[in-house]
Amino acid sequence: MGRPETVAPAGPKPFAAALARHDRTLVRADTRVLQVNVGLVCNQACRHCHLEAGPDRADQVMDRATMDAVIAYAARCGFDAVDVTGGAPELVPDIEHLLEGLRPLTPRLLFRSNLTALAERGDGLARRLRELGAVIVTSFPATSPSQIDALRGRGTADRSVAVLRWLNELGYGLGDTGLELDLVSNPAGAFLPPDQCAAEQRFRRELARRWGISFDHLYTFANVPLGRFRRWLEASDNLDGYLARLAEAFNPATVDGLMCRSQATLRWDGVLYDCDFNLARDLPLGGRRVHVSDLDGPPHAGLAVATGDHCYACTAGSGFT
Amino acid sequence: MDTYYDPADLAKFEEIGEEAPDLARKFFQYYAAVFDEGELTAREKALIALAVAHAVQCPYCIDAYTRSCLENGSNLGEMTEAVHVVNAIRGGASLVHGVQMRRVAKKLSL
């Protein structure tokens, strides 16, 4: 029997090597945005979810004491924007307490809704968001109902359309009301998203034509190869091809504007991360777990951002900024 | 080789320039310029390319432009309609030659 062969690791070069090849480093800049992930509970189990949120994750949500620590941290730092995300934040008990505490502390409060959970809460939460002037950011991956249902579950497209119409009736997404409604589109599979400007024009035309829906902005993002989406990539034999496609589309011009440089993400238990994807990988900011109540101020500029092959999703093409 | 078509060959397309580099350079520059956004959008051009790929029955092109259509925001319904357009034109092209057949037959027949 001969010596065992050395097998090269599968997949593209490490992300750090791609940065080095283009003489780039990924370090934090001034932190202007705080993202607060309030937990993994969700009424959906979307196939591209990097956090594997779902109905069975109700035990991983932010409690009221942590919410108070987050509010106190936002007061100490004065962020330009605070972005509340999940899971489905609608389903977190006391979510109104967090929103009301954050509202006076930032000029821009964003609330990530999956639409169907907002409907399940009745009209109370939506009206409260309107009173608070919160920006609503929601996933609406495609103009094709079949692609939406493929990503987010059967029947989700019809239910989402109904909620978008309702939000328009409340004044969201009409342009002149000051109530901002933004959509996020992820590809329905192992391929890159379209050009954002072209996609926004097309979504605006198609949503108006098909359903009479209007919105403010559309953001297109590549699916991040983590969590439930990574497991689908593995099971469908798409992982190597998708990682190669992301690496091939590496655009060094995106690095300076990456969100992980100017944003920090708090997990539901108060631990700080560079971004929601490093949260999913459990790569804490600065390499150690620090609780929000122990933070004097925003993370220091110059700290290295932890990276992995998932980072290629944010640097592909026009990037994820 | 157990098949005439190997998916790995698609990534080697540029090797065609090793024997005739000037011609290959001109071809690839032209090819890239054709797909630049112009009077037609990148999405529209990808759908045309997908349709032509089916007309010329090129598996490399079908592979490449299926992905390109998806990455330019087209969905399976639109792509399927594009293939039906190919089918209509190809079928129509055959059928319309029946007029020639009828003309010849009539000339030869009593």
Side-chain angles (χ1 to χ4, degrees):
Chain A
M1 181 184 283
R3 293 171 58 194
E5 288 183 327
T6 301
V7 179
K13 290 181 179 173
F15 185 75
L19 290 172
R21 192 167 66 249
H22 293 276
D23 200 22
R24 298 279 174 151
T25 55
L26 186 53
V27 295
R28 297 195 61 83
D30 291 335
T31 302
R32 301 189 305 273
V33 177
L34 179 68
Q35 185 173 59
V36 185
N37 190 316
V38 292
L40 297 184
V41 67
C42 189
N43 61 332
Q44 298 177 183
C46 299
R47 298 174 71 192
H48 67 134
C49 184
H50 61 278
L51 288 164
E52 305 197 59
D56 59 341
R57 310 295 293 272
D59 56 331
Q60 288 167 293
V61 296
M62 186 171 281
D63 59 26
R64 197 171 174 112
T66 308
M67 288 180 181
D68 288 336
V70 172
I71 293 166
Y73 180 57
R76 290 198 293 280
C77 297
F79 294 106
D80 292 349
V82 179
D83 177 2
V84 176
T85 188
E90 296 95 330
L91 304 183
V92 174
D94 293 332
I95 190 64
E96 289 93 338
H97 173 71
L98 178 68
L99 296 170
E100 288 159 8
L102 291 171
R103 177 65 280 194
L105 305 176
T106 180
R108 187 171 167 82
L109 178 65
L110 297 96
F111 184 84
R112 307 259 182 163
S113 168
N114 76 2
L115 298 177
T116 60
L118 191 61
E120 286 184 11
R121 283 288 314 269
D123 68 354
L125 180 58
R127 291 185 188 282
R128 190 71 187 115
L129 289 168
R130 182 175 67 172
E131 289 164 6
L132 294 170
V135 176
I136 295 180
V137 182
T138 183
S139 179
F140 196 84
T143 57
S144 155
S146 65
Q147 285 185 321
I148 295 174
D149 286 357
L151 267 181
R152 302 175 67 73
R154 189 183 299 270
T156 304
D158 288 346
R159 294 162 67 202
S160 298
V161 163
V163 180
L164 285 174
R165 282 177 165 154
W166 174 47
L167 289 173
N168 279 172
E169 288 169 13
L170 289 176
Y172 269 98
L174 303 181
D176 57 356
T177 58
L179 295 167
E180 189 174 330
L181 174 63
D182 298 335
L183 308 184
V184 175
S185 168
N186 292 85
F191 50 91
L192 298 182
D195 171 78
Q196 184 166 288
C197 291
E200 183 178 273
Q201 288 178 9
R202 188 157 173 273
F203 269 63
R204 200 175 299 289
R205 188 175 64 242
E206 288 298 306
L207 267 63
R209 183 179 70 84
R210 293 182 187 209
W211 300 300
I213 290 168
S214 63
F215 61 91
D216 290 287
H217 307 104
L218 175 84
Y219 301 104
T220 59
F221 297 141
N223 288 312
V224 180
L226 293 172
R228 201 174 283 133
F229 184 62
R230 191 177 187 103
R231 287 198 286 108
W232 173 78
L233 288 169
E234 289 170 343
S236 60
D237 198 24
N238 274 306
L239 180 62
D240 289 347
Y242 186 64
L243 291 177
R245 184 77 185 100
L246 292 177
E248 174 189 285
F250 177 79
N251 177 4
T254 61
V255 174
D256 288 347
L258 290 175
M259 64 169 183
C260 56
R261 300 193 63 229
S262 58
Q263 175 177 303
T265 297
L266 280 168
R267 194 168 65 178
W268 51 93
D269 60 356
V271 175
L272 194 65
Y273 295 82
D274 291 300
C275 68
D276 207 43
F277 309 121
N278 280 359
L279 182 160
R281 284 280 312 274
D282 196 17
L283 299 170
L285 192 148
R288 62 193 185 94
R289 285 188 182 77
V290 180
H291 192 266
V292 60
S293 58
D294 296 324
L295 295 166
D296 295 328
H300 295 298
L303 271 175
V305 175
T307 61
D309 65 13
H310 60 285
C311 299
Y312 278 116
C314 295
T315 55
S318 301
F320 191 162
T321 56
Chain B
M1 184 163 65
D2 55 7
T3 172
Y4 283 110
Y5 288 114
D6 182 348
D9 283 349
L10 181 57
K12 301 173 186 170
F13 190 10
E14 291 188 8
E15 292 178 10
I16 206 73
E18 290 179 5
E19 306 306 326
D22 287 347
L23 291 175
R25 181 174 46 77
K26 288 174 181 171
F27 172 79
F28 285 118
Q29 282 179 345
Y30 168 78
Y31 193 106
V34 164
F35 284 94
D36 283 344
E37 191 104 3
E39 295 295 324
L40 295 173
T41 64
R43 193 178 85 88
E44 290 164 339
K45 289 183 177 182
L47 281 167
I48 293 170
L50 180 72
V52 175
H54 282 76
V56 299
Q57 294 177 307
C58 169
Y60 302 114
C61 308
I62 292 170
D63 185 356
Y65 285 97
T66 296
R67 175 181 294 278
S68 178
C69 282
L70 290 168
E71 293 189 344
N72 277 290
S74 293
N75 60 53
L76 195 55
E78 293 167 322
M79 293 154 64
T80 303
E81 285 188 16
V83 174
H84 276 291
V85 171
V86 173
N87 195 42
I89 296 300
R90 287 192 71 146
S94 294
L95 199 58
V96 76
H97 281 76
V99 177
Q100 181 186 359
M101 172 273 291
R102 288 170 57 82
R103 178 165 48 81
V104 173
K106 283 178 178 174
K107 184 180 178 183
L108 296 175
S109 302
L110 286 170

mmCIF file of all heavy atoms in Angstrom, chain A residues 143-144 147 190-195 202 245, chain B residues 37 43 67 70-76 78:
data_model
loop_
_atom_site.group_PDB
_atom_site.id
_atom_site.type_symbol
_atom_site.label_atom_id
_atom_site.label_comp_id
_atom_site.label_asym_id
_atom_site.label_seq_id
_atom_site.Cartn_x
_atom_site.Cartn_y
_atom_site.Cartn_z
ATOM 1 N N THR A 143 -40.591 38.377 -8.660
ATOM 2 C CA THR A 143 -41.909 38.773 -9.160
ATOM 3 C C THR A 143 -42.738 37.548 -9.529
ATOM 4 O O THR A 143 -43.915 37.666 -9.845
ATOM 5 C CB THR A 143 -41.768 39.671 -10.408
ATOM 6 O OG1 THR A 143 -41.025 38.968 -11.394
ATOM 7 C CG2 THR A 143 -41.053 40.973 -10.067
ATOM 8 N N SER A 144 -42.119 36.388 -9.514
ATOM 9 C CA SER A 144 -42.811 35.149 -9.847
ATOM 10 C C SER A 144 -43.295 34.473 -8.565
ATOM 11 O O SER A 144 -42.484 34.097 -7.713
ATOM 12 C CB SER A 144 -41.841 34.227 -10.584
ATOM 13 O OG SER A 144 -42.220 32.880 -10.419
ATOM 14 N N GLN A 147 -41.485 31.248 -7.647
ATOM 15 C CA GLN A 147 -40.148 31.386 -7.071
ATOM 16 C C GLN A 147 -40.227 31.813 -5.606
ATOM 17 O O GLN A 147 -39.443 31.360 -4.775
ATOM 18 C CB GLN A 147 -39.317 32.391 -7.873
ATOM 19 C CG GLN A 147 -38.820 31.840 -9.206
ATOM 20 C CD GLN A 147 -37.892 32.804 -9.932
ATOM 21 O OE1 GLN A 147 -38.110 34.006 -9.935
ATOM 22 N NE2 GLN A 147 -36.868 32.271 -10.561
ATOM 23 N N ALA A 190 -29.141 28.530 -6.468
ATOM 24 C CA ALA A 190 -27.677 28.645 -6.388
ATOM 25 C C ALA A 190 -27.123 29.470 -7.541
ATOM 26 O O ALA A 190 -26.303 29.010 -8.317
ATOM 27 C CB ALA A 190 -27.059 27.252 -6.394
ATOM 28 N N PHE A 191 -27.590 30.688 -7.641
ATOM 29 C CA PHE A 191 -27.086 31.596 -8.665
ATOM 30 C C PHE A 191 -27.101 33.013 -8.102
ATOM 31 O O PHE A 191 -27.734 33.280 -7.072
ATOM 32 C CB PHE A 191 -27.899 31.495 -9.957
ATOM 33 C CG PHE A 191 -29.391 31.578 -9.785
ATOM 34 C CD1 PHE A 191 -30.043 32.786 -9.846
ATOM 35 C CD2 PHE A 191 -30.145 30.435 -9.547
ATOM 36 C CE1 PHE A 191 -31.413 32.875 -9.686
ATOM 37 C CE2 PHE A 191 -31.528 30.509 -9.392
ATOM 38 C CZ PHE A 191 -32.161 31.735 -9.455
ATOM 39 N N LEU A 192 -26.380 33.910 -8.786
ATOM 40 C CA LEU A 192 -26.211 35.264 -8.273
ATOM 41 C C LEU A 192 -27.455 36.112 -8.554
ATOM 42 O O LEU A 192 -28.226 35.805 -9.460
ATOM 43 C CB LEU A 192 -24.981 35.918 -8.917
ATOM 44 C CG LEU A 192 -23.649 35.225 -8.639
ATOM 45 C CD1 LEU A 192 -22.505 36.007 -9.287
ATOM 46 C CD2 LEU A 192 -23.401 35.096 -7.144
ATOM 47 N N PRO A 193 -27.622 37.196 -7.803
ATOM 48 C CA PRO A 193 -28.779 38.066 -8.048
ATOM 49 C C PRO A 193 -28.546 38.954 -9.257
ATOM 50 O O PRO A 193 -27.411 39.174 -9.674
ATOM 51 C CB PRO A 193 -28.838 38.906 -6.768
ATOM 52 C CG PRO A 193 -27.437 38.956 -6.268
ATOM 53 C CD PRO A 193 -26.804 37.647 -6.664
ATOM 54 N N PRO A 194 -29.651 39.497 -9.821
ATOM 55 C CA PRO A 194 -29.496 40.425 -10.944
ATOM 56 C C PRO A 194 -28.960 41.777 -10.483
ATOM 57 O O PRO A 194 -28.923 42.062 -9.284
ATOM 58 C CB PRO A 194 -30.926 40.557 -11.482
ATOM 59 C CG PRO A 194 -31.799 40.256 -10.320
ATOM 60 C CD PRO A 194 -31.045 39.272 -9.476
ATOM 61 N N ASP A 195 -28.571 42.588 -11.436
ATOM 62 C CA ASP A 195 -28.168 43.962 -11.149
ATOM 63 C C ASP A 195 -29.298 44.666 -10.383
ATOM 64 O O ASP A 195 -30.461 44.591 -10.778
ATOM 65 C CB ASP A 195 -27.897 44.680 -12.473
ATOM 66 C CG ASP A 195 -27.696 46.165 -12.289
ATOM 67 O OD1 ASP A 195 -26.600 46.541 -11.871
ATOM 68 O OD2 ASP A 195 -28.648 46.933 -12.544
ATOM 69 N N ARG A 202 -37.649 46.701 -12.724
ATOM 70 C CA ARG A 202 -38.536 45.615 -13.148
ATOM 71 C C ARG A 202 -39.552 45.282 -12.065
ATOM 72 O O ARG A 202 -40.739 45.097 -12.358
ATOM 73 C CB ARG A 202 -37.702 44.392 -13.493
ATOM 74 C CG ARG A 202 -38.472 43.286 -14.110
ATOM 75 C CD ARG A 202 -37.614 42.359 -14.936
ATOM 76 N NE ARG A 202 -38.423 41.240 -15.357
ATOM 77 C CZ ARG A 202 -38.592 40.144 -14.622
ATOM 78 N NH1 ARG A 202 -37.982 40.013 -13.460
ATOM 79 N NH2 ARG A 202 -39.359 39.164 -15.040
ATOM 80 N N ARG A 245 -18.677 30.005 -7.909
ATOM 81 C CA ARG A 245 -19.337 31.128 -8.607
ATOM 82 C C ARG A 245 -19.181 32.410 -7.791
ATOM 83 O O ARG A 245 -18.913 33.487 -8.344
ATOM 84 C CB ARG A 245 -20.815 30.804 -8.795
ATOM 85 C CG ARG A 245 -21.584 31.837 -9.584
ATOM 86 C CD ARG A 245 -21.321 31.719 -11.060
ATOM 87 N NE ARG A 245 -21.975 32.780 -11.813
ATOM 88 C CZ ARG A 245 -21.362 33.880 -12.251
ATOM 89 N NH1 ARG A 245 -20.077 34.064 -12.028
ATOM 90 N NH2 ARG A 245 -22.024 34.799 -12.933
ATOM 91 N N GLU B 37 -25.015 46.187 -22.059
ATOM 92 C CA GLU B 37 -26.350 46.806 -22.063
ATOM 93 C C GLU B 37 -26.425 47.821 -23.202
ATOM 94 O O GLU B 37 -25.541 48.654 -23.352
ATOM 95 C CB GLU B 37 -26.576 47.486 -20.702
ATOM 96 C CG GLU B 37 -27.984 47.926 -20.463
ATOM 97 C CD GLU B 37 -28.729 46.998 -19.514
ATOM 98 O OE1 GLU B 37 -28.125 46.045 -19.007
ATOM 99 O OE2 GLU B 37 -29.924 47.240 -19.290
ATOM 100 N N ARG B 43 -31.001 41.469 -19.460
ATOM 101 C CA ARG B 43 -31.983 40.396 -19.257
ATOM 102 C C ARG B 43 -32.584 39.952 -20.586
ATOM 103 O O ARG B 43 -32.725 38.749 -20.860
ATOM 104 C CB ARG B 43 -33.090 40.885 -18.314
ATOM 105 C CG ARG B 43 -33.990 39.789 -17.777
ATOM 106 C CD ARG B 43 -35.015 40.354 -16.809
ATOM 107 N NE ARG B 43 -36.170 40.851 -17.513
ATOM 108 C CZ ARG B 43 -37.238 40.104 -17.830
ATOM 109 N NH1 ARG B 43 -37.271 38.842 -17.485
ATOM 110 N NH2 ARG B 43 -38.254 40.627 -18.465
ATOM 111 N N ARG B 67 -28.178 29.824 -16.621
ATOM 112 C CA ARG B 67 -27.667 30.531 -15.437
ATOM 113 C C ARG B 67 -27.745 32.040 -15.643
ATOM 114 O O ARG B 67 -28.166 32.785 -14.752
ATOM 115 C CB ARG B 67 -26.217 30.108 -15.163
ATOM 116 C CG ARG B 67 -25.565 30.885 -14.030
ATOM 117 C CD ARG B 67 -24.141 30.443 -13.819
ATOM 118 N NE ARG B 67 -24.059 29.074 -13.341
ATOM 119 C CZ ARG B 67 -24.206 28.721 -12.076
ATOM 120 N NH1 ARG B 67 -24.431 29.635 -11.159
ATOM 121 N NH2 ARG B 67 -24.121 27.463 -11.714
ATOM 122 N N LEU B 70 -31.259 33.371 -15.173
ATOM 123 C CA LEU B 70 -31.631 33.414 -13.749
ATOM 124 C C LEU B 70 -30.923 34.569 -13.052
ATOM 125 O O LEU B 70 -31.515 35.292 -12.253
ATOM 126 C CB LEU B 70 -31.280 32.087 -13.068
ATOM 127 C CG LEU B 70 -32.134 30.887 -13.484
ATOM 128 C CD1 LEU B 70 -31.507 29.583 -12.960
ATOM 129 C CD2 LEU B 70 -33.561 31.020 -12.964
ATOM 130 N N GLU B 71 -29.642 34.759 -13.363
ATOM 131 C CA GLU B 71 -28.867 35.813 -12.696
ATOM 132 C C GLU B 71 -29.259 37.203 -13.183
ATOM 133 O O GLU B 71 -28.906 38.191 -12.559
ATOM 134 C CB GLU B 71 -27.370 35.560 -12.871
ATOM 135 C CG GLU B 71 -26.924 34.310 -12.120
ATOM 136 C CD GLU B 71 -25.430 34.115 -12.070
ATOM 137 O OE1 GLU B 71 -24.702 34.752 -12.862
ATOM 138 O OE2 GLU B 71 -24.974 33.321 -11.230
ATOM 139 N N ASN B 72 -29.975 37.266 -14.306
ATOM 140 C CA ASN B 72 -30.478 38.563 -14.761
ATOM 141 C C ASN B 72 -31.940 38.770 -14.377
ATOM 142 O O ASN B 72 -32.583 39.694 -14.848
ATOM 143 C CB ASN B 72 -30.293 38.702 -16.276
ATOM 144 C CG ASN B 72 -28.888 39.152 -16.623
ATOM 145 O OD1 ASN B 72 -28.510 40.303 -16.360
ATOM 146 N ND2 ASN B 72 -28.084 38.262 -17.174
ATOM 147 N N GLY B 73 -32.465 37.872 -13.546
ATOM 148 C CA GLY B 73 -33.792 38.095 -12.978
ATOM 149 C C GLY B 73 -34.935 37.447 -13.728
ATOM 150 O O GLY B 73 -36.099 37.705 -13.415
ATOM 151 N N SER B 74 -34.659 36.616 -14.721
ATOM 152 C CA SER B 74 -35.756 35.923 -15.400
ATOM 153 C C SER B 74 -36.179 34.711 -14.580
ATOM 154 O O SER B 74 -35.389 34.162 -13.810
ATOM 155 C CB SER B 74 -35.316 35.467 -16.793
ATOM 156 O OG SER B 74 -35.101 36.593 -17.616
ATOM 157 N N ASN B 75 -37.424 34.297 -14.779
ATOM 158 C CA ASN B 75 -37.891 33.121 -14.048
ATOM 159 C C ASN B 75 -38.170 31.986 -15.040
ATOM 160 O O ASN B 75 -38.129 32.182 -16.263
ATOM 161 C CB ASN B 75 -39.124 33.445 -13.194
ATOM 162 C CG ASN B 75 -40.286 33.948 -14.020
ATOM 163 O OD1 ASN B 75 -40.692 33.297 -14.984
ATOM 164 N ND2 ASN B 75 -40.832 35.102 -13.659
ATOM 165 N N LEU B 76 -38.461 30.826 -14.491
ATOM 166 C CA LEU B 76 -38.603 29.628 -15.320
ATOM 167 C C LEU B 76 -39.750 29.760 -16.325
ATOM 168 O O LEU B 76 -39.666 29.247 -17.446
ATOM 169 C CB LEU B 76 -38.801 28.407 -14.416
ATOM 170 C CG LEU B 76 -38.623 27.036 -15.055
ATOM 171 C CD1 LEU B 76 -37.277 26.903 -15.734
ATOM 172 C CD2 LEU B 76 -38.790 25.946 -13.995
ATOM 173 N N GLU B 78 -40.745 32.529 -17.846
ATOM 174 C CA GLU B 78 -40.291 33.353 -18.974
ATOM 175 C C GLU B 78 -39.329 32.566 -19.862
ATOM 176 O O GLU B 78 -39.377 32.648 -21.103
ATOM 177 C CB GLU B 78 -39.600 34.610 -18.438
ATOM 178 C CG GLU B 78 -40.556 35.545 -17.710
ATOM 179 C CD GLU B 78 -39.834 36.616 -16.907
ATOM 180 O OE1 GLU B 78 -38.781 36.315 -16.299
ATOM 181 O OE2 GLU B 78 -40.320 37.752 -16.884
#
